[in-house]
Amino acid sequence: NNTKQPKNIEFITVMRDPRDLMISSIYYLSNLESEKGGWPWLNSMNFQEMMFEWLKKNKLDYSLLSYFHQLDYFYKFYYEKLLDNDFEEFAIYLRLKKHHFDTGLLKTAIAKYSFEKVTSRKKGEEDVKSFYRKGIANDWKNYFDKDIKEYYKTIDEGKWQQLLIDLGYEKDSNW
């Protein structure tokens, strides 16, 4: 449990709304062959049933995530902010770490690996069979009904709900 930053190592992670992560994960797992770790058996269910099943099978290790989230030597990008202004988010990080960077080179790298370039689709154009399914934030709102919201908030003693609060996606359980 040593929280001291290792020398000469920088840790970077991308945080994403866990509800969106769940939706994307369901599409990914249901289309992936079981030999590769997929859950193709999900396809025998409607999407709401898939969501309940995903929540039942994915036990959240809240203590590990909570610990990880609090470490100050991990730089956290938020997927939603990257979608809104990827160049500025990367530039903030590079300036914070006092890394010198070429603006043109950074813009070129971002463009090369953009959703549009990698998929040949615009953000929001869905391909349910692709790892890069849709490229947008807040898609969970198209799937969560009253029942799944309540289940999400209460399963595993409310750990998923608490994660939303800890990550800053919600202020309380009134969403």
Side-chain angles (χ1 to χ4, degrees):
N1 286 352
N2 183 1
T3 59
K4 186 176 177 186
Q5 179 174 1
K7 293 184 184 222
N8 302 318
I9 297 176
E10 295 179 21
F11 294 94
I12 301 170
T13 190
V14 176
M15 304 303 243
R16 186 175 183 196
D17 186 319
R19 296 162 294 196
D20 273 333
L21 180 83
M22 181 177 90
I23 301 303
S24 292
S25 177
I26 289 168
Y27 275 108
Y28 178 71
L29 290 169
S30 66
N31 287 304
L32 189 64
E33 299 164 5
S34 55
E35 298 80 34
K36 295 180 180 177
W39 298 358
W41 47 267
L42 285 174
N43 290 311
S44 66
M45 306 174 186
N46 67 42
F47 205 85
Q48 186 176 34
E49 291 169 333
M50 289 181 187
M51 291 168 39
F52 282 111
E53 191 66 21
W54 189 94
L55 284 166
K56 287 177 196 169
K57 293 217 175 281
N58 284 282
K59 297 298 177 197
L60 178 62
D61 187 344
Y62 185 77
S63 60
L64 180 63
L65 285 173
S66 179
Y67 169 78
F68 171 74
H69 181 66
Q70 294 173 23
L71 295 176
D72 58 2
Y73 57 85
F74 276 77
Y75 189 82
K76 299 162 197 81
F77 286 102
Y78 283 84
Y79 179 76
E80 298 79 7
K81 288 183 178 181
L82 288 170
L83 289 175
D84 288 342
N85 195 347
D86 47 13
F87 174 80
E88 190 55 35
E89 290 299 311
F90 284 115
I92 288 168
Y93 168 75
L94 293 169
R95 288 184 199 113
L96 177 72
K97 295 297 183 174
K98 298 182 177 26
H99 292 303
H100 300 286
F101 65 95
D102 178 281
T103 300
L105 188 59
L106 180 58
K107 286 181 178 180
T108 299
I110 289 169
K112 181 177 179 179
Y113 297 102
S114 70
F115 179 85
E116 293 86 348
K117 184 74 170 179
V118 171
T119 66
S120 299
R121 290 182 280 125
K122 293 180 183 176
K123 289 179 186 174
E125 289 180 14
E126 185 174 38
D127 178 353
V128 297
K129 302 266 185 207
S130 174
F131 180 76
Y132 305 100
R133 183 179 61 87
K134 208 168 185 179
I136 63 169
N138 295 312
D139 195 34
W140 67 269
K141 293 176 182 179
N142 296 315
Y143 296 88
F144 275 59
D145 64 12
K146 185 179 131 221
D147 294 334
I148 196 68
K149 279 183 184 180
E150 189 59 33
Y151 190 69
Y152 189 95
K153 292 175 186 181
T154 58
I155 191 170
D156 289 338
E157 300 170 357
K159 291 177 183 174
W160 288 99
Q161 172 60 37
Q162 189 59 48
L163 183 62
L164 290 176
I165 294 168
D166 290 350
L167 294 177
Y169 287 102
E170 298 295 345
K171 294 184 189 321
D172 54 38
S173 63
N174 297 319
W175 49 274

